Amino acid sequence: MERIRTCLAAAGIPVSDTQLAQLTTYYEMVIERNKVMNLTAITEREEFIVKHLIDSLAPLLSEELCPLFRDRADGTAIRLIDVGTGAGFPGIPLKILCPKLSVTLLDSLQKRVNFLQEVITALKLSDIRAVHMRAEEGGQSPAHREKYDLAVSRAVANLSLLAEYDLPFVKKGGTFLAYKSGEVEEEMASAERAIRILGGLLERPVYITLPDSDIRRAFLPIRKEKPTPKAYPRKAGTAKKDPL
């Protein structure tokens, strides 16, 4: 886990012993629970550190993206929602390294949400909650719709689909940050119409090669310029069958 400290220290981000201990405990809890439920196909420690933990934290290595996770000038916390969080990536690692974030972990499977609550309790994290809800339901809920400064997703899905899932959660002036891999130019071009309909503006992608690896990640910031029309997100399953 010292690799994480070294990687982030190079970007000027200090990592305490307590934070490293929390990341270690988190890794151990994921691996142990993975024996009885499907949380991840990546279980080897070194691979897990790079492909899950460092990958989740990679935006903090970028001068362009790191400010998204900082407190506002008035000291109030940034509200972040991790849509389709699964085993808690990237929301839990980001919460550990940015403890002032106010985090919501959203997932459609109750068993995963129960596990995430166990992690939150074990790591003694505050101002973070796990919510059992589909993205389509959450995006229409008054408790969540346009309530967040930042939405993140590491989901393997087309950008136009992710935009319909995530942008309804983001308030005007906020950002949806999509974690992507490989070449994304074609996907970005095909998603521009959907992003515009949903009230967003796709900004310049940020490319990061994960430290100590040849893994290249693309981070796509989408700025929320205007409210999402009330018709979106559509009912469950519609966006996947009929993308914008």
Side-chain angles (χ1 to χ4, degrees):
M1 292 290 177
E2 284 292 334
R3 293 172 63 188
I4 295 175
R5 192 192 324 250
T6 301
C7 292
L8 294 174
I13 301 168
V15 182
S16 69
D17 290 341
T18 297
Q19 288 168 323
L20 285 184
Q22 288 174 318
L23 290 170
T24 300
T25 299
Y26 177 39
Y27 160 74
E28 292 169 348
M29 291 184 73
V30 171
I31 296 305
E32 183 61 30
R33 185 58 58 87
N34 202 58
K35 295 175 182 177
V36 294
M37 63 182 289
N38 182 27
L39 291 174
T40 177
I42 299 170
T43 57
E44 193 276 323
R45 186 182 180 93
E46 292 297 312
E47 189 178 15
F48 188 101
I49 289 171
V50 173
K51 293 185 178 180
H52 279 326
L53 299 183
I54 293 178
D55 183 62
S56 292
L57 298 168
L60 304 181
L61 303 174
S62 163
E63 291 184 2
E64 297 100 323
L65 300 178
C66 191
L68 294 174
F69 301 87
R70 293 177 183 152
D71 292 345
R72 299 187 190 87
D74 63 3
T76 56
I78 295 294
R79 294 194 69 193
L80 177 149
I81 185 166
D82 180 2
V83 180
T85 187
F89 305 114
I92 287 179
L94 287 169
K95 175 62 180 178
I96 291 171
L97 266 294
C98 304
K100 292 184 179 180
L101 284 175
S102 178
V103 175
T104 297
L105 306 171
L106 192 82
D107 199 84
S108 62
L109 187 63
Q110 184 67 62
K111 289 194 298 184
R112 284 197 292 257
V113 170
N114 293 343
F115 167 72
L116 294 171
Q117 190 56 59
E118 290 175 25
V119 172
I120 290 167
T121 301
L123 302 186
K124 299 180 180 179
L125 299 175
S126 61
D127 201 5
I128 179 173
R129 58 179 176 163
V131 175
H132 175 225
M133 195 176 286
R134 292 185 66 96
E136 299 95 332
E137 180 186 358
Q140 291 288 3
S141 166
H144 297 284
R145 186 178 178 88
E146 299 189 331
K147 300 295 187 189
Y148 296 90
D149 304 288
L150 181 61
V152 294
S153 278
R154 282 176 86 229
V156 181
N158 184 275
L159 184 59
S160 61
L161 180 61
L162 285 179
E164 185 167 349
Y165 288 161
D166 284 68
L167 276 174
F169 290 100
V170 181
K171 63 176 65 173
K172 184 179 177 181
T175 301
F176 162 42
L177 184 64
Y179 286 59
K180 286 288 183 178
S181 58
E183 299 302 319
V184 294
E185 285 74 13
E186 184 176 335
E187 185 175 352
M188 289 166 55
S190 65
E192 280 187 10
R193 177 179 175 274
I195 291 168
R196 186 170 60 253
I197 289 172
L198 296 161
L201 175 67
L202 182 58
E203 299 183 332
R204 185 174 65 86
V206 176
Y207 296 96
I208 297 174
T209 299
L210 301 185
D212 300 326
S213 78
D214 58 358
I215 301 171
R216 190 169 185 252
R217 288 294 252 157
F219 294 89
L220 310 182
I222 300 173
R223 192 71 151 167
K224 187 73 170 282
E225 290 201 309
K226 57 184 179 181
T228 298
K230 292 181 180 180
Y232 303 102
R234 292 166 289 173
K235 64 181 182 179
T238 303
K240 194 169 185 179
K241 293 177 183 176
D242 183 25
L244 289 175

